[in-house]
Amino acid sequence: MKFNTKAIHGGQKPEKATGAVVPPIFQTSTYAQSSLGSDQEYHYSRGSNPTRTALENSLASIENGTHGFAFSSGLAAIDCVLRTLNPGDEIIAGIDLYGGTYRMFTRLFEKYGLEFTYVDTDSVENVAKAITKKTKLVWLETPTNPLMKIADIQAISKTVKDVDSAILIAVDNTFATPYLQQPLNLGVDIVMHSATKYLGGHSDLIMGALIVKDAKLAEELHFIQFAAGAIAGPMDSFLALRGIKTLHLRMQRHCENAMAVARFLKQQSKVDAIYYPGLEDHPNHAIAKKQMKAFGGVVSFSLKDKSKEATFKFLENIKFFTLAESLGGVESMVNHSATMSHASMPEEERIKIGVTDSLIRLSVGIEDIEDILEDLAQALN
C-alpha cells in the first residue's frame, strides 16, 4: 500500500464480533478467561487492549515497522527507551533538543548513572567523534525543536553502525511525521513520536509512540511498558487512530501554509533570522530535501528587536495563533520557547544553542493562508 492508503487501512481489520469498520473503544480493565492459563490474546489492559492494539498496528504500518507501542505521553515513550540501558552507558544526543527531553536526560537519568554527550547532530562528523566504547544509544531529533536543524539520518546511521552495530539509534520523528520521513527505512532502530502533536492532530489527547522492526527489541520494550505501566488508554487510542486517518491530508496543508509563512517572513523588515528547512538558504536544506517529502508545519523566527518587550508585544497582538505549549493541531499556535517549551533549560545553555528571548515558534495550522498571513502582518506592525 502507498502511504495515504496505509494511513486509513494499514494494520486494520473490521472488528471481529460485530464487523465494525471503526475499532470500538474497549473501555475495560480486564477480560474473562475461558480457563486457567488460557492463551487468549487479552487478559489485562495494562498488557494489551483491543483499541490500543488497533492503534499500534496502524503506527507500525505507517512507519514501515513491525511493532508499535502506544504510551501515556511522548516522554513516557522516551523513558521506556532509556530503561533499556544500564548505569555507565553513554547516550549521544543533539544539543538542540526539546526541553522536556533535555530535562529528563539531565534531571532524572543522569542521577541513575547514564552519561550524556551533546553534539550538533547536523554534522555526521560530530556524532562519529563522540562515539566511545560506552556508547549504547544515539538520540536524534530531526527537525529539531525549535531551531529546525536537520540531521542526516541515513549517513549518521551508517557511520554509527560501522563503528558498532550494537549501538541503538533512535529518532524523534514528531515534527516530520511518517508522512514526511520514515527513519526505519534509513537505518535506525527506534522511531519515537509525541502522538499528542501531528498524529493526533486535534489538540485533544496526550500520547507517545515507539515503532521498531527488531523482534527482540520489541519484546524488551513491551516488557518495560508492561512492567512500568505507562500505557495509552483506550479513549486516547481511539482518538489517535482517528487522527492518523487524515494525517496525509493535514500534513499537506500544514506544509503548504508553513512554506508560505516562511517566505512571507523573509520579506518583513522587523524579522531577523528564519528557521525553516524549506528555504533554500537554510544550512540543512539539501539534507531535508533528500530525506523528507516536504518540510513540515513548524516555522521559527526571531525579531531584529531582541528585547523581551518586543517579543511579548508580538505575542500579545497575534490573534489567530493561539499562545500555547503544544503544536501539530489543526489550529495555528505560537510558542515562546524561552519561557515555555525550554523553560526548564538553564538560561546559559538555552542561549548557547540559540533559544534566545526573541525566538518565536509558529505551529502553522490548516486555516486559510490569507488569514494567517494577515494576522502575522498586523502582529508585526
Side-chain angles (χ1 to χ4, degrees):
M1 289 184 283
K2 302 296 185 183
F3 184 87
N4 297 356
T5 308
K6 277 186 177 181
I8 297 168
H9 298 290
Q12 304 303 297
K13 295 179 181 178
E15 194 267 329
K16 291 180 181 179
T18 65
V21 173
V22 176
I25 302 168
F26 285 86
Q27 196 70 50
T28 185
S29 60
T30 193
Y31 307 83
Q33 299 184 35
S34 56
S35 61
L36 289 173
S38 64
D39 62 353
Q40 65 192 61
E41 184 174 359
Y42 299 103
H43 294 89
Y44 187 59
S45 280
R46 175 159 45 81
S48 56
N49 172 281
T51 314
R52 193 166 84 241
T53 297
L55 169 62
E56 291 172 338
N57 289 342
S58 175
L59 290 168
S61 175
I62 61 176
E63 278 287 10
N64 284 341
T66 56
H67 299 78
F69 303 94
F71 292 81
S72 53
S73 70
L75 287 172
I78 298 172
D79 175 82
C80 182
V81 175
L82 294 182
R83 288 174 188 259
T84 65
L85 306 177
N86 297 306
D89 288 346
E90 180 186 62
I91 299 92
I92 298 171
I95 57 172
D96 177 24
L97 286 174
Y98 163 56
T101 306
Y102 180 83
R103 180 178 59 232
M104 176 180 286
F105 287 0
T106 58
R107 298 182 63 179
L108 287 182
F109 281 93
E110 278 188 358
K111 70 180 183 182
Y112 299 146
L114 296 184
E115 300 176 12
F116 295 86
T117 299
Y118 299 95
V119 301
D120 196 337
T121 54
D122 65 359
S123 165
V124 179
E125 291 73 21
N126 290 343
V127 177
K129 289 177 183 177
I131 298 173
T132 71
K133 292 181 179 180
K134 297 194 296 182
T135 303
K136 301 299 180 184
L137 172 67
V138 174
W139 185 268
L140 302 176
E141 186 179 297
T142 180
T144 61
N145 178 9
L147 294 174
M148 304 301 291
K149 292 183 177 182
I150 305 296
D152 190 330
I153 299 171
Q154 190 168 38
I156 290 175
S157 297
K158 183 179 186 309
T159 298
V160 172
K161 294 296 185 179
D162 283 348
V163 174
D164 185 348
S165 61
I167 297 174
L168 293 175
I169 304 168
V171 171
D172 182 338
N173 203 30
T174 299
F175 272 33
T177 80
Y179 178 72
L180 299 183
Q181 71 184 14
Q182 296 169 334
L184 292 176
N185 291 350
L186 301 175
V188 312
D189 301 288
I190 304 170
V191 173
M192 173 267 167
H193 286 277
S194 172
T196 308
K197 313 304 191 299
Y198 288 108
L199 294 186
H202 294 78
S203 303
D204 55 8
L205 61 91
I206 300 289
M207 184 182 290
L210 296 177
I211 304 96
V212 300
K213 280 186 175 180
D214 182 78
K216 185 177 180 181
L217 179 58
E219 185 178 356
E220 183 176 12
L221 294 173
H222 180 263
F223 171 77
I224 293 169
Q225 184 186 38
F226 172 73
I231 57 167
M235 182 64 195
D236 283 348
S237 297
F238 173 85
L239 291 172
L241 189 56
R242 182 194 62 176
I244 287 172
K245 292 182 185 299
T246 60
L247 175 64
H248 54 296
L249 298 174
R250 290 183 286 105
M251 288 308 298
Q252 289 169 18
R253 179 57 63 87
H254 282 301
C255 293
E256 290 169 5
N257 283 355
M259 180 65 84
V261 165
R263 288 174 175 161
F264 168 82
L265 290 173
K266 279 187 72 70
Q267 301 170 354
Q268 305 307 304
S269 60
K270 293 185 178 181
V271 172
D272 183 15
I274 304 167
Y275 305 92
Y276 187 66
L279 297 176
E280 291 185 358
D281 59 359
H282 186 285
N284 309 131
H285 174 73
I287 299 171
K289 191 174 181 179
K290 179 184 72 171
Q291 73 185 20
M292 298 173 70
K293 184 183 293 187
F295 303 104
V298 176
V299 180
S300 296
F301 70 99
S302 59
L303 298 171
K304 286 184 178 175
D305 185 338
K306 303 301 181 185
S307 67
K308 281 187 178 180
E309 291 76 16
T311 304
F312 288 4
K313 185 176 181 181
F314 172 87
L315 295 171
E316 290 167 1
N317 284 340
I318 202 153
K319 301 292 188 266
F320 285 136
F321 283 80
T322 302
L323 182 63
E325 290 276 3
S326 195
L327 60 99
V330 292
E331 59 282 302
S332 290
M333 290 181 271
V334 61
N335 175 283
H336 184 238
S337 298
T339 59
M340 298 173 78
S341 62
H342 286 65
S344 62
M345 183 175 286
E347 182 178 9
E348 183 180 346
E349 293 296 318
R350 174 173 58 76
I351 292 174
K352 187 189 300 182
I353 67 170
V355 183
T356 63
D357 289 335
S358 66
L359 186 71
I360 296 166
R361 188 192 74 193
L362 302 175
S363 173
V364 184
I366 64 173
E367 302 95 340
D368 286 310
I369 189 60
E370 294 84 0
D371 292 328
I372 292 173
L373 298 183
E374 183 180 335
D375 191 27
L376 288 169
Q378 67 83 22
L380 284 168
N381 298 310

